Amino acid sequence: MTDPQEYSRRASAWLEANARDLPRDAGLAASRAFMARLHDAGYSGITWPAEYGGQGLTAAEERAFQQAARGFALPIGVFGIGLGMCGPTLLSIGTEEHKRRYIEPLLRGEEIWCQMFSEPGAGSDVASLQTRAVRDGDAWVVNGQKVWTSVARQADLGLLIARTDVDLPKHRGITMFIIDMHDPGVTVRPLRDMTGESHFNEVFFDDVRVPADRIVGEVNEGWSAAVTTLLHERVSIGTGAARTERPASFAALAAAARGRGLLADPAVRDLLVDLYLRERAFDLFNARLSQEIKAGIQPGARGSVAKLLLSDLTLAGADAATEILGPETVAYDDDGTIAAALSWAPGMALGGGTSEIMRNIIGDRVLGLPREPQVDRAIPFRDLKVGTQAEEAGR
Ligand SMILES: Cc1cc2nc3c(=O)[nH]c(=O)nc-3n(C[C@H](O)[C@H](O)[C@H](O)COP(=O)(O)OP(=O)(O)OC[C@H]3O[C@@H](n4cnc5c(N)ncnc54)[C@H](O)[C@@H]3O)c2cc1C
């Protein structure tokens, strides 16, 4: 490890020279150019293996960079799914060829990734998915629909899970594929959400041919591949948010309450103390996860604790903001941050798995409580009444 203080000083100087006053929404071309500069400077993929384009450094350098980056709004959100989920999945279970082909372009911002798991009839119970992939010579032919796919409109590539064997039980006949989003037969339709923007999309597959060498993991073993991605997702959502400024934070709302002469109001103090305690619990839990990752201990299902704490904290921040700012919360403030954060808050408790599902996972896999009964675990998928199969069965 290099001297952390020296590393952090150099990172701060680089950020000051290259990232100060960048617009939060810089546009796609500017975001890609920024990622390339970040990579050239040695700050993209800090802990990723050097042979695939990473910097091959340790979690200590990563943390030093993240500390230096606090207070900067880096325009790299569109790469979040690639960096937080798809890339780590390929590094864990991709082939050597996948790593050589896909990792460096991701780290340089040349290719944007999305993750295509959820379907209209398969969200929390994503193993009920119905998108099909059928073998045809040296390729697989994909048909079906995904929904809520973040950044699909901007994406060049995506990880897809599709059903490859309907005779196996629902968790076992699934395979993970790398999809080229520009291939014929892939159609992306944006969905407008309540922030007024289109963060997520529907994706349709009509006879999309996917070469067999784009399978990630093994045929029919896509469920464990998907679990790998989801574990990375929850850690990445939790720890990623730990590094970003929260507009409806304790500090911001306490200042707003003081400015409005509300600090003596016991109800307001109660809200603020509750928010402070949640922030401390979240920050300390994440500090602990980071230390453990640094020591080589993988968080596993405890990533769900970080995700749940963050969802609850975000919703508590939104409630407190509404109480303290009153009608002002519905008007966009100067840079729109409070109002945008409020309308984004409920999505935090859904995306990456809902809070109820996080509680199930924590009960089951962190606390060792009895599992939820699952009567359909051993039944061939074709016999299950899920999604459109349920409608067909009811006819
Ligand atoms: C901001 C955002 C971004 C997203 N991005 C992506 C993406 O990039 N890729 C992707 O594939 N998906 C994405 N999603 C989809 C997300 O993963 C799903 O919304 C989520 O898994 C829930 O599925 P659902 O919406 O079908 O709800 P459902 O599964 O239908 O759930 C409805 C309600 O029932 C509850 N429920 C369901 N099952 C149980 C149970 N067993 N026990 C207790 N309660 C239960 C849920 O908690 C929820 O309150 C995104 C969603 C959001 C909000």
Side-chain angles (χ1 to χ4, degrees), residues 115 117-118 123-124 148 150 200 344 347 350-351 354 356-357 360 372:
Q115 170 218 6
F117 287 11
S118 307
S124 299
W148 315 129
S150 305
F200 34 54
W344 189 244
L350 302 171
T354 68
E356 289 76 22
I357 296 302
N360 283 351
E372 266 202 55

Side-chain angles (χ1 to χ4, degrees), residues 334-347:
D334 279 353
D335 58 1
T337 46
I338 287 277
L342 294 193
S343 45
W344 189 244

